[in-house]
Amino acid sequence: MYQVGDMIIYGGEGVCRVEAIGPIDMHGINKDKLYYTLSPLYREGKIYTPVDSKVFMRPVISREAAETLIRSIPDIEGDQYREKNLRLLNEHYQSLIRTHQCEDMVQVIKSAYSRRQARHAQGSKPGQVDERYMKRAEELLHGELAVALGIRREEVADYISKTLAEIAK
């Protein structure tokens, strides 16, 4: 069970802070059941979810894990998924996003970027599915890395670039 103040990944929401744990006083809700009250970090609102919910939850990665991940980005392969059927491409990206693993977010970003570059070389516009999932993966990854590294989400891309530039020296 998480504790008040913990930073967690909650389903497709991304990073949330556990604000409270206990029964909630709402009409039609079981008063004997424990709920997490979660505050999403990157949007307004509250989420109430049973502590035994089936929705994916895990702690935000540590600073050490974030730095290790960033250093390993050059070694993470973007998959060579070349499906032209948009429904299948959509399902492929969704399956990677649903793992909630940072390495898979990097893979989505690298794959979509590679497909964007290939389309650009052919004189085509970037694909909407690729662009949508690349943006979503970046939001989720940068949100978690920001918390792990103690920086703002807007600073993550520069942090990654600087770290990788230092490694390349």
Side-chain angles (χ1 to χ4, degrees):
M1 195 157 113
Y2 299 109
Q3 303 301 312
V4 172
D6 286 351
M7 301 297 267
I8 66 169
I9 301 300
Y10 176 75
E13 182 64 45
V15 181
C16 294
R17 175 180 287 112
V18 178
E19 296 291 336
I21 305 167
I24 55 175
D25 188 21
M26 285 186 183
H27 180 72
I29 302 292
N30 182 345
K31 306 285 189 250
D32 298 327
K33 193 167 190 151
L34 293 178
Y35 286 80
Y36 290 122
T37 301
L38 306 175
S39 291
L41 246 54
Y42 301 110
R43 73 167 179 86
E44 296 295 316
K46 298 277 188 222
I47 297 169
Y48 302 97
T49 187
V51 296
D52 60 353
S53 172
K54 301 274 189 256
V55 174
F56 180 87
M57 288 184 255
R58 70 163 169 80
V60 167
I61 62 173
S62 68
R63 179 179 192 90
E64 180 181 315
E67 289 172 349
T68 299
L69 172 75
I70 291 169
R71 287 190 302 273
S72 71
I73 286 175
D75 301 324
I76 297 173
E77 293 291 324
D79 64 13
Q80 300 304 313
Y81 195 79
R82 297 291 172 215
E83 181 60 56
K84 292 185 191 272
N85 181 305
L86 295 181
R87 183 183 59 77
L88 295 176
L89 180 62
N90 194 53
E91 288 174 7
H92 174 69
Y93 283 142
Q94 279 182 355
S95 70
L96 289 169
I97 296 280
R98 277 193 214 116
T99 69
H100 307 284
Q101 299 304 309
C102 295
E103 294 83 1
D104 290 339
M105 299 305 141
V106 172
Q107 186 179 15
V108 169
I109 294 164
K110 289 179 98 172
S111 298
Y113 181 79
S114 172
R115 288 173 56 91
R116 175 201 282 172
Q117 295 302 96
R119 289 180 64 96
H120 181 72
Q122 297 170 348
S124 300
K125 292 181 179 179
Q128 289 182 351
V129 172
D130 294 313
E131 294 297 305
R132 181 173 59 245
Y133 281 101
M134 184 166 67
K135 181 176 188 248
R136 182 68 182 138
E138 284 176 344
E139 287 172 353
L140 293 169
L141 179 66
H142 290 190
E144 184 166 6
L145 290 176
V147 171
L149 297 168
I151 61 177
R152 291 189 349 258
R153 185 166 61 169
E154 297 78 26
E155 298 170 339
V156 170
D158 285 340
Y159 185 95
I160 292 170
S161 295
K162 287 176 186 171
T163 302
L164 295 178
E166 289 173 13
I167 292 170
K169 289 181 184 176

